[in-house]
Amino acid sequence: MQDFIFQSPTKIIFGKSAENQVGDEVKQYCDKILLHYGGGSIKRSGLYDRVVKSLKAKGIEIIELGGVKPNPRLSMVREGIKICRENNINFILAVGGGSVIDSAKAIAAGVPYEGDEWDFHTGKANPKNVLPIGVILTLPATGSEVSASAVITNEDGWYKESMNSDLLRPKFAIMNPELTYTLPDYQTACGAADMMAHVMERYFTNTPHVDLTDRLCEATLKTIIKNAPLALKDPNNYDVRAEIMWSGTIAHNGLLGTGREEDWGSHKIEHEISAIYDITHGAGLAVVFPAWMKYVYNINLKKFIQFSYRVWDVEVDLDNPESTALEGIKRLENFFREIGLPTRLKDMNISDERFEEMAQKCTMSGPVGGLKKLYKEDVLNILNIAK
Ligand code: NZQ
Ligand code: ZN
């Protein structure tokens, strides 16, 4: 096991009607906020009204910026920074999924910074001072409600890049599983794939002696595998939605990666796809992750066999260990298909036309991935497997 520092400082308020506590939570920080949200799901569901009521009851002044698009854009972040500066706003409340939360984080980092916000995404600068943000989560998937990253798309060239800083972790995350009843099936499934990918990016490592985190990863994966199909069958089942929501947070608050080298190659590749084709991140991962696995499983065959056996109940074939590893990958792909996700790029009408560009952008700052370092040629090979 490697040395590590673990911190997950976000206060989680989890349960039925939890959103009604938002006024009390925000009041601890300020009396004026930017209320940031997406394309309207929170208005249709009635959540917006409840949030405004709770904030107003505490005398909090609200300035709004709605309209965040999935794969959130830099232009919106710039607009948010301008509004916060002009109105002297020192707190941002994000109500929505990962896109809204990431946009809020990027605004929070950009307001006190004199240079260009994009500097944070190219490694030119690191945030030193970030406005506090709070979250009401409506889509369990990205783990952004607790994570230290924000992923933003720059429309100028369609670059999708993350920024990372512990300062970006939200002060609080309000998580009411009831808020996820209105999710379209496709978003529920994409969310499941994303959280599974967050676990697997940590699970497949060359670091030895990580028994505890291996078992925690397997438990989280098994919980998602059991509950995602149940949520699709019975969308208003509170307990099922609660299991999924909590899994999404556990998958990405850093705990499962403690003491081990992480991978993140599949995420880097997927970000190139969603930057150009504007697909849902979780769907892109359902395509890329199995392709990556087929490309690298021999690097740590033992780990892939363990994955097959412990997560997918594959019987180990001692005479042909590779077949055991491949069977686990096949079951993962079948699972993605069963919950309604694509497993090939062609399922999303993506051809090989821009593979070169994606592979080039993905590796422009050097190789990606921990289990196996992936160079441009490797990324091209993985995209070809995913075709
Ligand atoms: O915009 P609205 O109208 O709110 O609709 C959204 C959006 O169309 C809808 N939605 C959300 N909650 C809903 C709902 N519809 C009905 N009922 C609800 N309760 O779902 C659609 C997708 O929302 P979005 O926020 O884009 O999805 P997600 O949470 O999957 O976020 C994806 C973004 O997060 C990034 C991804 O790359 C992508 O840009 N990621 C962020 C990470 C992080 N910050 O730690 C890590 C991840 O690996 C990921 O890269
Ligand atoms: Zn992800």
Side-chain angles (χ1 to χ4, degrees):
M1 197 190 293
Q2 296 178 346
D3 298 347
F4 65 87
I5 295 173
F6 171 64
Q7 56 171 329
S8 183
T10 304
K11 175 179 179 183
I12 308 279
I13 302 158
F14 192 103
K16 291 179 181 165
S17 303
E19 65 274 16
N20 296 329
Q21 298 175 47
V22 68
D24 287 319
E25 290 304 317
V26 169
K27 192 73 186 170
Q28 297 170 32
Y29 297 92
C30 65
D31 293 316
K32 187 178 185 180
I33 63 159
L34 182 75
L35 174 59
H36 203 34
Y37 55 90
S41 71
I42 68 161
K43 290 203 168 161
R44 288 190 295 278
S45 68
L47 173 62
Y48 171 89
D49 292 334
R50 294 199 295 284
V51 170
V52 168
K53 189 174 165 206
S54 173
L55 293 168
K56 289 212 162 139
K58 294 290 163 186
I60 292 157
E61 190 185 336
I62 303 166
I63 299 201
E64 287 189 25
L65 180 60
V68 178
K69 290 190 177 133
N71 299 316
R73 308 296 149 90
L74 184 60
S75 54
M76 170 66 88
V77 171
R78 291 204 165 116
E79 192 182 339
I81 293 171
K82 190 162 168 267
I83 294 174
C84 286
R85 284 183 184 156
E86 283 171 1
N87 294 279
N88 240 334
I89 293 171
N90 292 313
F91 189 94
I92 305 171
L93 178 66
V95 186
S99 294
V100 174
I101 303 169
D102 284 4
S103 184
K105 287 175 172 176
I107 295 169
V111 172
Y113 179 59
E114 284 177 3
D116 181 6
E117 155 70 25
W118 194 244
D119 292 350
F120 297 134
H121 299 264
T122 54
K124 222 169 133 188
N126 283 316
K128 296 207 167 61
N129 184 12
V130 170
L131 299 188
I133 81 160
V135 167
I136 299 178
L137 183 67
T138 64
L139 202 181
T142 63
S144 186
E145 68 276 11
V146 284
S147 81
S149 40
V151 190
I152 299 295
T153 298
N154 186 342
E155 303 96 316
D156 185 6
W158 299 103
Y159 291 93
K160 184 173 178 179
E161 298 289 344
S162 60
M163 68 186 280
N164 294 287
S165 164
D166 278 323
L167 299 174
L168 294 175
R169 295 188 197 269
K171 296 294 172 203
F172 64 81
I174 291 178
M175 298 172 55
N176 173 3
E178 293 169 313
L179 300 179
T180 67
Y181 292 174
T182 53
L183 278 171
D185 286 353
Y186 189 65
Q187 289 298 338
T188 298
C190 286
D194 190 18
M195 48 184 92
M196 288 175 75
H198 294 161
V199 179
M200 295 187 296
E201 296 279 17
R202 294 171 165 103
Y203 188 78
F204 294 106
T205 181
N206 291 314
T207 311
H209 300 296
V210 283
D211 294 353
L212 173 66
T213 41
D214 269 3
R215 296 284 186 184
L216 292 172
C217 285
E218 289 153 5
T220 312
L221 288 171
K222 287 204 126 184
T223 304
I224 301 162
I225 293 162
K226 176 183 168 193
N227 286 282
L230 297 175
L232 295 173
K233 257 192 227 123
D234 189 5
N236 292 9
N237 185 321
Y238 180 85
D239 291 314
V240 162
R241 290 292 196 178
E243 297 284 1
I244 292 176
M245 200 170 209
W246 192 221
S247 296
T249 301
I250 295 297
H252 203 37
N253 72 352
L255 175 66
L256 304 188
T258 47
R260 53 208 287 150
E261 187 190 20
E262 303 182 5
D263 191 84
W264 299 103
S266 300
H267 262 72
K268 295 267 194 217
I269 298 173
E270 194 294 318
H271 283 166
E272 300 308 334
I273 303 173
S274 49
I276 292 178
Y277 295 98
D278 203 16
I279 56 160
T280 304
H281 171 62
L285 287 167
V287 171
V288 171
F289 221 103
W292 171 83
M293 291 167 115
K294 288 173 201 166
Y295 192 64
V296 303
Y297 70 91
N298 263 318
I299 306 271
N300 190 344
L301 188 58
K302 227 173 122 194
K303 202 54 169 275
F304 277 84
I305 291 171
Q306 179 181 299
F307 173 74
S308 296
Y309 175 68
R310 291 194 192 162
V311 179
W312 297 103
D313 306 316
V314 177
E315 217 176 294
V316 179
D317 182 348
L318 291 172
D319 298 327
N320 190 357
E322 283 202 24
S323 74
T324 308
L326 289 169
E327 180 61 24
I329 300 169
K330 193 168 140 201
R331 291 195 192 181
L332 173 68
E333 266 190 321
N334 288 345
F335 173 77
F336 285 152
R337 242 176 259 130
E338 276 160 27
I339 61 172
L341 293 174
T343 53
R344 294 290 182 276
L345 290 169
K346 67 173 172 348
D347 300 339
M348 296 185 291
N349 298 319
I350 295 174
S351 72
D352 56 9
E353 205 183 329
R354 297 178 77 174
F355 279 11
E356 267 290 321
E357 179 189 347
M358 290 193 277
Q360 197 274 328
K361 279 176 166 175
C362 183
T363 53
M364 69 185 176
S365 314
V368 298
L371 185 78
K372 173 176 166 53
K373 278 198 190 332
L374 305 173
Y375 295 85
K376 186 179 164 194
E377 276 310 303
D378 299 304
V379 174
L380 275 172
N381 290 336
I382 292 167
L383 288 169
N384 273 305
I385 296 172
K387 262 212 282 217

